[in-house]
Amino acid sequence: MCGIVGVFGSDRAGELAYQGLYQLQHRGQDSAGIVTADGEHWQERRGLGLLRDAVDFAELRGPDGTSAIGHVRYRTAGEVSTQETQPFVAETRHGRIAVAHNGNFPMAAAGRQLLMARGAPVITHSDTEVAVHFIAQAKGVRLTDAIKVAFAALDGAYAMLVMAPGTMVGFRDPYGFRPLFWGRRGKACLFASETCALTHLGVEEVHEVRPGTGVIADADGVREEVFAEYRKRRLCAFEKIYISRPDSVLDGADVSQDRYALGFRLAEEFPADADIVIPVLDSGQWAALGYAERSGIPYRPAMNRNHYVDRTFIKPEESLRDLAVAMKHSITRAWVRGQRVVLVDDSIIRAVTMKRTIRLIRSAGAKEIHVRVSSPPVVSPCFYGVDMRTKRELYAAEHGVQGVREYLGADSLEYLSREGMLAAFGDDAGASHCVACFTGEYPTPVPKF
Amino acid sequence: MCGIVGVFGSDRAGELAYQGLYQLQHRGQDSAGIVTADGEHWQERRGLGLLRDAVDFAELRGPDGTSAIGHVRYRTAGEVSTQETQPFVAETRHGRIAVAHNGNFPMAAAGRQLLMARGAPVITHSDTEVAVHFIAQAKGVRLTDAIKVAFAALDGAYAMLVMAPGTMVGFRDPYGFRPLFWGRRGKACLFASETCALTHLGVEEVHEVRPGTGVIADADGVREEVFAEYRKRRLCAFEKIYISRPDSVLDGADVSQDRYALGFRLAEEFPADADIVIPVLDSGQWAALGYAERSGIPYRPAMNRNHYVDRTFIKPEESLRDLAVAMKHSITRAWVRGQRVVLVDDSIIRAVTMKRTIRLIRSAGAKEIHVRVSSPPVVSPCFYGVDMRTKRELYAAEHGVQGVREYLGADSLEYLSREGMLAAFGDDAGASHCVACFTGEYPTPVPKF
Amino acid sequence: MCGIVGVFGSDRAGELAYQGLYQLQHRGQDSAGIVTADGEHWQERRGLGLLRDAVDFAELRGPDGTSAIGHVRYRTAGEVSTQETQPFVAETRHGRIAVAHNGNFPMAAAGRQLLMARGAPVITHSDTEVAVHFIAQAKGVRLTDAIKVAFAALDGAYAMLVMAPGTMVGFRDPYGFRPLFWGRRGKACLFASETCALTHLGVEEVHEVRPGTGVIADADGVREEVFAEYRKRRLCAFEKIYISRPDSVLDGADVSQDRYALGFRLAEEFPADADIVIPVLDSGQWAALGYAERSGIPYRPAMNRNHYVDRTFIKPEESLRDLAVAMKHSITRAWVRGQRVVLVDDSIIRAVTMKRTIRLIRSAGAKEIHVRVSSPPVVSPCFYGVDMRTKRELYAAEHGVQGVREYLGADSLEYLSREGMLAAFGDDAGASHCVACFTGEYPTPVPKF
Amino acid sequence: MCGIVGVFGSDRAGELAYQGLYQLQHRGQDSAGIVTADGEHWQERRGLGLLRDAVDFAELRGPDGTSAIGHVRYRTAGEVSTQETQPFVAETRHGRIAVAHNGNFPMAAAGRQLLMARGAPVITHSDTEVAVHFIAQAKGVRLTDAIKVAFAALDGAYAMLVMAPGTMVGFRDPYGFRPLFWGRRGKACLFASETCALTHLGVEEVHEVRPGTGVIADADGVREEVFAEYRKRRLCAFEKIYISRPDSVLDGADVSQDRYALGFRLAEEFPADADIVIPVLDSGQWAALGYAERSGIPYRPAMNRNHYVDRTFIKPEESLRDLAVAMKHSITRAWVRGQRVVLVDDSIIRAVTMKRTIRLIRSAGAKEIHVRVSSPPVVSPCFYGVDMRTKRELYAAEHGVQGVREYLGADSLEYLSREGMLAAFGDDAGASHCVACFTGEYPTPVPKF
């Protein structure tokens, strides 16, 4: 989970990139960076934490470049320190390039071995560096040819922006695991991981960067080019379930509509004899509303979040974590007392937070708690950029649905079926989404786990 | 708008005060402080900003005192700097006391003049200091007598905690403008501005500190005492409309229920021919749900807040403020496009934010926008602690409802009637709420404005 | 130990006050504040820590007031939190005043009792608040009369600035314990605790605010007035020994010259058979140079300070404190190895730092270490504003000079005699300095200790 | 100018590295990092700013690794952002390595071209990355062989530490431009840029890592190996003149002794008819003392630094820079008034600071100012790691000594001769120091400038 943004051909490129990136902050809060280019003059700004702390907006206002790319990063466990902060800027045989990447290469370890065997060091812990090496090594008269050559050898999930003097290229892997969009704003060409950022920037007509395709902006305008051989489309189902912002559009539908449909379908598959439907905070909101409206059970957002409890507070010690959760969430008791509650969440990964939530609702006086999850059980790790890396983390994978229910202490627990999910997406044939984490069937080679 | 908390008779007094205060953070984010007392040993901790930044929680864990009071402050315009940070600790003829105050004395200016004439300086800009002076000057064998004497001369709104060696007193003005509650936790006696803090701390049975009454905790236990002559109860209606947390209880009802009822009643008074109901963010949520369910128009929380835009960003320049608002809010367009929208908010004070919101929804494709406000128009300033001090700030007061509608650019605009509001509160006779800001009729003397 | 500054009658008052205060930062690093006044418009800025962190210089540039006073504070143990941050602004029967104070009232406790008995509360822990009360209570047609009345009742050490609309008053107690100076800069009248600040601000001719005298600046110009009855002058000897900056002038001599003379005299009283003279860091520098030049022993500043070790690092745990000292200081061994060392410091209070220094020099290979202190042993607490409050802290008072020598592990230890010190100051008769900490004879009543 | 430190074979490796690095903070304040290794478990910690802010000491206490290397960086103009923070960790065909580098490769640009032509990207702006590439590409059964191969192709200045599982290698270029030392502490082997760090860590016997030589620590102990063919020794003269800490040892002499000797020699070459000798702050202190003692003119450290003016304050605007300098430095006037002053500094690079200093001393009343510089004029840029990169920055190179004197407004200006400098170093033949910046004769190929 990362977010990327690109602006080509605007004299406010840096400022627009900053504003666009702000809209993608939910995709990563661990570091942020923006690289602007004005002919030969490049400026790099990166830092740790939220965009507002990492990059000084004041410096980007006014003419700072005619193109810019930006990146917000979600740090996965094990990575450390400052060096992974993207965008990367590299001097290559194709000239200077800046690279911003959202995705993951499941076989990057093999790529690293190959690079090392050839004598190239890999300095950061980031898969992106491997990709940069492949681009730099690839022979080709034009940068776009080098990119094609490089990624022919790198199976995986990537939505990527490459900025070079006088051009910007946005491209996606042939499966289209991770989203990427583009559009025009006056003479400028803009790219972003989600449509919400482009809409915010005033782009009227938003286009998808199609899987396996590159969108190239340069002095001649904007054109599309096929970058990779055809594959079946595999957009990550979790983008719709959880990752993308509700006001972003994927496959022509607002994500909040997909989530509503998931909840609607869930109510059909697994009705409950209950008095109220409670969403698990913001992320379960739309599914809960769909569930409520389909079932006729009143929707009651009775769970509140205390916005002043931040991650800092949670960090110090395990012993404080329980306290932090209790301080963070509260239940409006009047709605819950003596009621049979349907609790709707979008997914259950580690189960421990849901367990605490159920305890909280129980202590607020609920008579029964029926958990309904608007996606199937996650049973396999993701190798395409979502932070659920090892099977051990996945409670359902280890203990089964019944095990989860017992652990949670819920009166009932049901997950939406895979078919139901795909139907909600309007993809009954299951032909266009990656659902590997629900099935264990991966579209590409993955390492043993 | 401030929040106060007190803990008497627990060996974890400081820690409990901190946790309770955390639950009141929504009542004030400008400074925070906690004073703990263990016999003669007192510890004062105060700082600017949020509680988590102002007071180091680590220092409060473990035995730090057997009683403690805390305060979070909402800084009103004109006040500056560090000196107003409460609780105040004062050496007085009644011994050392710590004071935490939520409220306002409309005639404090006269009090200040009186003090100055008597030769007492007033150092801070806080009304609370005036109150401390009055307590210190009052003669009385017991501290509680001094408090009674002092406040007999100080008309106004106050929910106050006074801590002294071996005792803690919580009391409210005879109108009960501002809320205060207490309850037991084992042997300890706890106080807080809202029930949500007491519930969070594990208090089973929560009691109101009744208007004009003091609750006194000391070695002999807890007892109530009449502190002021009887007045008609005047709980601030805005506590129910906007200030208190939805999971707090006022007059026996959860605040979220009151808000639901306000919206329900609003739909009866002012129905709309529309397709969807959109709440203005969190604060309008329950009223919007009530409106939706009464009217049968679907509830669609299509307005999103970007939680990463903080106040810091807003501050620097006026020119950035528009940008900040745009960066902060977004609309899920799919629900809105081509629709007739009912937009429900709890109140409209300065109108400028609502104007921007309407522009945003309009640009998302709404066909019509009907604004429904779940409280009457605010036409008079508040002198009892809510931050709407001058008439100039109140758009409806200056321009009338029609003027507001035109300014907003809404297709229609309706406010809940005063009768409707009181009925929603179950107070049809209007006998127990302060509605001065809607009517201009103040229960106490107020300065000219 | 605090520093104060005042500017009257300049349209850059705030900026000048800031710059002047910066030069007084060595007198207090715990908080800082500046209050500017432009007729009825007053601005207060205060904060914790160094001036550069506490007050935003950018806000003070440009026209911000025509008069200003500032204060830097050294926090003595026991005081806490934000409320003591000066200058204080008070509304009084004499109108609004701002007060900045350097000094201490040994009998303030009695003053507090008096105030409390009269019904005035004392909110901060600062003696200065007591003084403000006395001013406010004093009757008098003019502010200056009120000040005279107030301080007639308050024995103690004070150099104080009072700003009121249209006037600024700087005055000192009749003994002149703490320094205060003034001078003109164009039409403006400036005040500061030390001459270095006035010189920095471009004041050509610097005058002392004479003991017991007030310097009053207003629309009529600047004039002096007697504020208190005549007393023998008692300037704090420690100002010359340690507190003031070496480039400040006291009694007509640069402080660095006084220190050189102290060291010179010390060499006459207590010569040593040694190879090199090492100063204890910056504060012992001038005395060591005087010692070296009188004795003919080479001066070798062989002790280095690592400027990157800050107080933060020292704080966390006792166990880290030794480490911090070792990290902070180092010895240039080549000069020390096999040598007989004279180590010169200005004073020894707690002795623990000197003990560590001697260990460090010993381990660098010194053959002998002879400690020479350029002031007499401190045997009595200070009640006039220097942070040595209790006898327990004073090693020499508890254990005698021989006890100190043994504790330090020095080969010899000698302190400059009282006579020698006064002679170095050119005050052979001992008529004009406060030496109470060396003798226990206090010029004013002090509490029992 | 960077500082590096290494610890091999201690169960407190991380803690020792931190403490050692603290002693090298004067070599770089822009970023800091420490990498610890415990078999396969590596921990990387890096950050911007001072070590105390960049790396959390608390995390390094206790067992965190059995070997560690650290780096503090001085950022030269043009470099930006977080990615250059060393140590670098790279996966290579020789396994994982961590690299910390002090120095510079004048021909790195060519190396970059070579790498790019071969298809390797260069991501950071740091020469060190180029070196890592060369190590990674080099073929060799053992890591040390790869290092030898790599650096045979990379002329330049390097003192480098390479950590790999089970081993640590410290080595220097064959000229020995930059210093590196090692020593034992119990069973551990420690490395550092300066002896002061090793002494601080308790190393009894400190050895030089000899030019062209590697010191290899592994399970078999510590051994030396020749890494490069013999060259004439060329230790950077500026290490002795300015860079190294006065208590560090170079070529068997304490640096403060070298500086004293420079000043002593300077007095012989260029006496002055004057009354006092003033050092330019700390860095000119020892040379000034040498000058004073040789000439018999009294040494008077009359120039003071205000330690509270930090770099932050200087940054914002050019217009504030003059103010910052004035706020930072002051002169003790009594010593200066009416006197003929010899002002001694170690070097003059940009001349602007010295110009301001002279103005300050002049305005303090000095009658004459004779500047004496304890090193020759710098006329050529440095390509070996000292921050004087372009000729344009070097005032003497552009305008000659006479031009400098006029610019400064000094009554006379003299620089120590090259011969005098070398004699002071005991290197009369000039056989063992790099003096290229004084002569323009570079020991290695350098780019055109």
Side-chain angles (χ1 to χ4, degrees), chain B residues 176-323:
Chain B
F177 289 108
R178 308 254 67 92
L180 186 63
F181 297 88
W182 72 278
R184 287 193 177 81
R185 183 186 192 275
K187 292 183 176 175
C189 176
L190 279 62
F191 296 87
S193 293
E194 294 187 28
T195 66
C196 68
L198 296 176
T199 304
H200 174 77
L201 293 176
V203 171
E204 294 288 332
E205 211 174 322
V206 174
H207 313 279
E208 192 188 28
V209 174
R210 283 182 288 186
T213 301
V215 171
I216 302 152
D218 59 19
D220 298 335
V222 182
R223 66 187 181 282
E224 268 185 290
E225 224 170 81
V226 173
F227 266 43
E229 60 179 304
Y230 174 77
R231 304 278 184 186
K232 263 209 298 199
R233 182 184 181 84
R234 292 292 180 201
L235 178 66
C236 168
F238 251 86
E239 287 282 348
K240 295 183 178 175
I241 295 166
Y242 171 74
I243 299 171
S244 286
R245 226 168 71 173
D247 57 322
S248 281
V249 177
L250 284 168
D251 291 337
D254 273 43
V255 167
S256 63
Q257 289 182 312
D258 283 321
R259 291 181 189 160
Y260 180 92
L262 289 167
F264 200 91
R265 176 69 63 155
L266 181 61
E268 289 175 350
E269 288 189 3
F270 299 103
D273 207 6
D275 304 305
I276 59 169
V277 173
I278 301 183
V280 173
L281 299 173
D282 292 351
S283 62
Q285 169 181 270
W286 286 103
L289 199 57
Y291 192 100
E293 297 198 355
R294 179 66 184 88
S295 64
I297 306 172
Y299 172 80
R300 293 291 174 262
M303 188 174 178
N304 313 296
R305 163 173 292 173
N306 184 338
H307 289 294
Y308 305 105
V309 180
D310 71 350
R311 295 198 291 175
T312 325
F313 192 75
I314 300 174
K315 249 175 81 180
E317 316 166 33
E318 182 56 36
S319 68
L320 284 180
R321 205 162 299 177
D322 266 324
L323 177 60

Side-chain angles (χ1 to χ4, degrees), chain A residues 23-62:
Chain A
Q23 301 303 313
L24 302 177
Q25 186 78 81
H26 60 285
R27 297 182 73 88
Q29 296 99 42
D30 290 303
S31 70
I34 287 175
V35 177
T36 56
D38 193 352
E40 286 308 298
H41 182 66
W42 289 41
Q43 287 275 336
E44 308 177 26
R45 294 182 180 87
R46 301 180 191 91
L48 300 183
L50 296 174
L51 176 61
R52 68 178 186 227
D53 300 320
V55 176
D56 183 356
F57 181 58
E59 294 183 9
L60 287 167
R61 300 185 70 204

Side-chain angles (χ1 to χ4, degrees), chain A residues 3 16 31 82 87 115 165 182-183 197 260 309 325 376 383 391 399 403 425:
Chain A
L16 292 173
S31 70
T82 58
L115 288 171
W182 71 278
Y260 181 92
V309 180
V325 170
F383 295 97
K391 211 162 171 172
H399 303 88
F425 294 161

Side-chain angles (χ1 to χ4, degrees), chain B residues 77-201:
Chain B
E79 283 180 30
V80 274
S81 99
T82 56
Q83 296 184 325
E84 277 74 22
T85 317
Q86 296 195 26
F88 286 152
V89 171
E91 303 290 342
T92 74
R93 63 161 60 137
H94 313 291
R96 193 193 295 166
I97 59 172
V99 174
H101 171 221
N102 174 26
N104 204 56
F105 299 103
M107 303 309 280
R112 280 169 195 271
Q113 294 305 326
L114 186 66
L115 289 171
M116 287 181 236
R118 282 190 202 158
V122 184
I123 292 175
T124 69
H125 299 272
S126 161
D127 283 5
T128 309
E129 190 191 359
V130 177
V132 172
H133 272 275
F134 274 71
I135 296 174
Q137 288 186 353
K139 284 166 187 159
V141 179
R142 299 180 313 154
L143 175 60
T144 48
D145 292 333
I147 292 172
K148 286 176 204 169
V149 169
F151 286 90
L154 262 177
D155 253 337
Y158 48 90
M160 198 175 272
L161 290 170
V162 175
M163 178 169 76
T167 190
M168 183 172 291
V169 186
F171 56 98
R172 287 168 82 199
D173 63 70
Y175 305 94
F177 289 108
R178 308 254 67 92
L180 186 63
F181 297 88
W182 72 278
R184 287 193 177 81
R185 183 186 192 275
K187 292 183 176 175
C189 176
L190 279 62
F191 296 87
S193 293
E194 294 187 28
T195 66
C196 68
L198 296 176
T199 304
H200 174 77
L201 293 176

Side-chain angles (χ1 to χ4, degrees), chain D residues 438-449:
Chain D
F438 306 123
T439 65
E441 291 159 28
Y442 297 92
T444 72
V446 296
K448 282 214 170 136
F449 59 93

Side-chain angles (χ1 to χ4, degrees), chain B residues 404-422:
Chain B
V404 177
R405 197 197 61 71
E406 282 166 18
Y407 173 73
L408 296 179
D411 293 292
S412 75
L413 165 68
E414 302 291 352
Y415 292 82
L416 182 60
S417 68
R418 193 172 70 89
E419 294 68 32
M421 176 184 73
L422 293 170

